[in-house]
Amino acid sequence: MNRRSALKNLTMSLGYTVAAPTIFNMFASCTAEAETWKPLFLSPEEKHMVTHLMDIILPTSDTPGALDVNIPQFLDLMYYDIEKKEKQELFRKGAAIFAKKFNMPILEGKKEDFEKSLSSYFNISEEDSKSILKDQKLSLEKVNDNKIENYTLYKFLLSVKYYTLFGYFTSEEVGENVLAYDPIPGNYQACISVNEATGGRAWSL
């Protein structure tokens, strides 16, 4: 992970204030091998869920996928070191609801099983989508009792999606080798297209 980008995004986008040594330790730990890493926050079932969901959201193609740059480890450390207790509990409750609604024991699920399940939650009507996103802006206390389960489930799913994208685009591998990267910016060129400037790639921050 790119630590400078991580610090910038954690303080500006997430709005947290944390000690620098904690962040440095967290991002250094993200380099653990996918097969051998032991979660600090996630249970074995949650690790299995998160790994498959992230692989579906950002699979490996001609560019690295979420698993190639250790994004499950990133989420695990964020929830262990950064997220507040209330959000940790909400994440666990949402993961438990997802597991309860899954069509088999969660640890037996393959990628295609998770893909089918995830599709059922997001291939919905525009009206339902707007309603879900509207509810997501509310605090748990303000959600109607008959919507709490659905609210909690989507909190979990959207958190996995958020950390997949956040971790991926702030990783060193993606920042330097996928996005347009220039550690020493050159001359300023105005009024040129992105295709001319970077071949269509967004700049790495």
Side-chain angles (χ1 to χ4, degrees):
M1 297 289 173
N2 185 300
R3 295 176 178 177
R4 182 174 298 175
S5 295
L7 286 168
K8 178 180 178 182
N9 281 281
L10 284 171
T11 55
M12 294 180 64
S13 299
L14 297 181
Y16 296 125
T17 303
V18 293
T22 299
I23 297 295
F24 291 154
N25 179 64
M26 179 183 71
F27 277 86
S29 299
C30 282
T31 59
E33 289 297 325
E35 294 81 7
T36 60
W37 72 285
K38 293 182 179 180
L40 296 172
F41 171 78
L42 299 173
S43 69
E45 291 79 9
E46 290 164 351
K47 175 188 174 183
H48 192 73
M49 276 187 266
V50 165
T51 299
H52 280 296
L53 292 174
M54 288 184 163
D55 191 27
I56 293 165
I57 294 168
L58 279 177
T60 302
S61 60
D62 55 342
T63 57
L67 304 191
D68 297 316
V69 291
N70 299 319
I71 304 305
Q73 291 93 313
F74 174 69
L75 178 144
D76 178 62
L77 289 166
M78 288 296 292
Y79 268 94
Y80 181 78
D81 276 337
I82 305 296
E83 287 287 10
K84 295 179 180 179
K85 183 178 180 180
E86 294 80 3
K87 287 196 173 183
Q88 291 176 338
E89 292 175 351
L90 196 57
F91 181 94
R92 290 204 186 284
K93 289 178 181 177
I97 292 169
F98 182 89
K100 182 180 72 173
K101 292 177 176 289
F102 206 61
N103 61 358
M104 64 181 70
I106 206 73
L107 290 174
E108 295 179 11
K110 307 297 183 184
K111 182 178 179 179
E112 55 268 25
D113 302 313
F114 284 92
E115 194 161 14
K116 183 178 179 181
S117 184
L118 191 63
S119 177
S120 71
Y121 294 121
F122 287 100
N123 286 344
I124 55 179
S125 69
E126 184 177 350
E127 182 180 350
D128 287 342
S129 181
K130 286 181 178 179
S131 177
I132 289 167
L133 293 176
K134 182 179 179 181
D135 288 342
Q136 289 296 300
K137 296 177 182 178
L138 302 174
S139 62
L140 181 61
E141 295 76 20
K142 294 182 179 180
V143 179
N144 292 335
D145 289 345
N146 64 334
K147 290 186 174 183
I148 285 180
E149 183 176 83
N150 208 46
Y151 170 88
T152 308
L153 170 65
Y154 276 96
K155 276 292 182 188
F156 164 71
L157 292 174
L158 292 172
S159 177
V160 172
K161 180 181 178 182
Y162 170 76
Y163 275 118
T164 300
L165 299 175
F166 174 49
Y168 186 79
F169 287 107
T170 55
S171 69
E172 184 175 9
E173 171 66 24
V174 173
E176 294 187 5
N177 299 316
V178 176
L179 301 176
Y181 175 69
D182 187 355
I184 306 175
N187 295 328
Y188 173 70
Q189 293 177 289
C191 301
I192 63 173
S193 70
V194 175
N195 282 333
E196 290 178 273
T198 67
R201 295 179 298 164
W203 281 105
S204 175
L205 297 178

